Amino acid sequence: MDNNVRPESMTRITTLAQASAFIEEQVALVRQQVGDKKVLLALSGGVDSSVVAALLIKAIGKQLVCVHVNHGLMRKGESEQVIEVFGKALDANLVYVDATDRFLNLLAGVSDPERKRKIIGAEFIKVFDEEAAKLDGISFLAQGTIYPDILESIKAKESGKPVKSHHNVGGLPEDMAMELVEPVKLLYKDEVRIVGEALGLPHGMVYRQPFPGPGLGVRCLGAITRDRLHALREADAILREEFDNSGLAGKVWQYFIAVPDLKSVGVKDGLRYEGWPAIIRAVNTTDAMTATIEEIPYSLLHHITNRITHEVEGINRVLLDLTPKPIGTIEWE
Ligand code: XMP
């Protein structure tokens, strides 16, 4: 039997009790597969890799080594949360690598979206490989592969024409001579989230909206500069906070800010004030292949605009993107 095919008899996990049973089953399987050997995991802090990390910590404790590469393109507070949850609360064997300068130096002056994506993907693999080489006696590589990833890679192989070169922070080269541990590879996303809840991961981590592998790199449009990236991160944090407070967070599939490499003239305290616009994008979708625009109440938009323009240095306008997919893609790059 192909172990990359979900058996028809496999029941969909919808309850915490089912998730707990799944966890017990996987804990036993992982212990059997791994024995007393060490396992390496690229922990991005996204739902899938976080759930795999928590599951493996339960199964094999310190035999799991988690490597978190901060590429400097994370959203506000994300790397800190990885350190808090895995390094502290779960007492994991966590290697934290701040590679911000490496990534931003390589990206300096690069404005072509595909080149940016390629640089980020390739550098990620390089940094991760370097860290892996420093570790002794690693026999297995764990990955947060989920069932849609398997289905999508089959589809992509068949059609051979992706719109963008997608990069997953867990997507590592095939020539890494390590056996894979992929405990959630037959689960759909909603099931992974329930398993994450059953493992006791924080709600914000388990229900985190999707975030592209190249991170804020594809939302800081054109050539990335540190000041514009900083403004984007702060504006995005305000948007997320306001969506959380207003209850929109659970209803909108993906929402974020993009900041183009473009300045307009504004006025602040009676003086000319040039700044970038912050573009709000909030979409709903079921499969990310098409997307519709989510309505945001005007009162909330005014409030967000007011906060961003007053609190974020360098932003002097707030715009709303009303474009469905197609014609726009969800991300701007
Ligand atoms: P697009 O922009 O292609 O995005 O309409 C569809 C969904 O995919 C996410 N996205 C990515 N996810 N690696 C990922 O893991 C990537 O390189 C990547 N690029 C886009 C995007 O955020 C949206 O949810």
Side-chain angles (χ1 to χ4, degrees):
M1 195 185 74
D2 184 348
N3 63 2
N4 275 345
V5 176
R6 184 173 165 126
E8 267 175 41
S9 57
M10 193 170 152
T11 25
R12 189 107 181 181
I13 298 172
T14 55
T15 64
L16 286 174
Q18 286 169 321
S20 299
F22 172 84
I23 292 164
E24 290 315 316
E25 190 185 292
Q26 287 302 322
V27 162
L29 285 172
V30 167
R31 285 183 183 151
Q32 201 179 56
Q33 183 187 4
V34 168
D36 59 2
K37 302 268 180 0
K38 281 194 198 163
V39 181
L40 178 63
L41 170 74
L43 176 60
S44 68
V47 185
D48 307 333
S49 66
S50 296
V51 169
V52 167
L55 209 159
L56 294 189
I57 290 165
K58 194 174 164 74
I60 55 170
K62 301 261 184 190
Q63 282 166 255
L64 174 72
V65 185
C66 300
V67 174
H68 176 69
V69 176
N70 179 359
H71 51 23
L73 303 164
M74 308 290 286
R75 285 176 293 197
K76 190 171 179 176
E78 279 181 328
S79 284
E80 290 80 357
Q81 188 183 40
V82 167
I83 294 170
E84 200 53 48
V85 171
F86 293 98
K88 299 195 180 144
L90 294 177
D91 192 25
N93 208 341
L94 173 69
V95 178
Y96 170 69
V97 190
D98 184 355
T100 303
D101 287 340
R102 280 179 69 156
F103 281 84
L104 295 188
N105 290 344
L106 275 177
L107 288 164
V110 181
S111 56
D112 177 66
E114 277 300 286
R115 263 196 72 210
K116 285 168 70 179
R117 280 176 170 273
K118 296 241 161 77
I119 289 172
I120 297 167
E123 189 63 7
F124 183 86
I125 290 168
K126 217 165 135 195
V127 175
F128 188 80
D129 273 357
E130 285 172 19
E131 290 306 317
K134 290 184 203 159
L135 301 165
D136 277 336
I138 302 280
S139 311
F140 293 88
L141 184 71
Q143 290 201 142
T145 313
I146 65 171
Y147 204 45
D149 298 334
I150 292 179
L151 298 178
E152 230 167 74
S153 70
I154 295 170
K155 243 194 326 196
K157 265 191 203 136
E158 282 168 2
S159 75
K161 258 203 153 189
V163 176
K164 300 174 188 178
S165 51
H166 269 217
H167 151 75
N168 286 311
V169 164
L172 296 164
E174 282 169 10
D175 60 3
M176 289 190 96
M178 283 189 263
E179 198 182 311
L180 292 179
V181 179
E182 298 177 300
V184 299
K185 73 173 175 185
L186 295 184
L187 299 190
Y188 288 99
K189 196 82 172 189
D190 53 325
E191 300 179 294
V192 177
R193 293 194 206 277
I194 300 171
V195 169
E197 271 191 290
L199 285 162
L201 287 175
H203 186 269
M205 193 170 238
V206 170
Y207 286 93
R208 212 176 84 149
Q209 50 170 321
F211 188 54
L216 298 182
V218 292
R219 298 177 181 171
C220 191
L221 310 178
I224 299 167
T225 57
R226 287 175 195 249
D227 52 356
R228 194 155 50 86
L229 180 62
H230 179 73
L232 161 62
R233 182 175 285 124
E234 293 298 318
D236 187 68
I238 291 173
L239 182 80
R240 288 197 285 145
E241 192 183 312
E242 291 302 332
F243 267 52
D244 277 341
N245 293 343
S246 65
L248 271 180
K251 298 189 193 120
V252 184
W253 196 75
Q254 200 171 13
Y255 46 95
F256 56 87
I257 297 280
V259 178
D261 183 11
L262 170 155
K263 278 191 173 175
S264 70
V265 177
V267 55
K268 191 176 184 180
D269 303 326
L271 297 172
R272 181 183 172 98
Y273 176 52
E274 289 184 9
W276 306 288
I279 302 165
I280 298 175
R281 185 131 176 86
V283 298
N284 263 329
T285 177
T286 47
D287 58 5
M289 300 301 288
T290 61
T292 53
I293 297 309
E294 187 55 31
E295 281 193 23
I296 311 172
Y298 260 95
S299 55
L300 180 60
L301 285 170
H302 284 304
H303 179 59
I304 291 169
T305 302
N306 193 38
R307 279 199 63 194
I308 290 178
T309 51
H310 281 87
E311 294 174 34
V312 184
E313 182 62 33
I315 302 282
N316 68 355
R317 288 172 198 267
V318 176
L319 314 179
L320 179 61
D321 182 353
L322 292 173
T323 321
K325 176 181 180 178
I327 180 86
T329 52
I330 294 177
E331 302 292 344
W332 270 56
E333 289 189 339

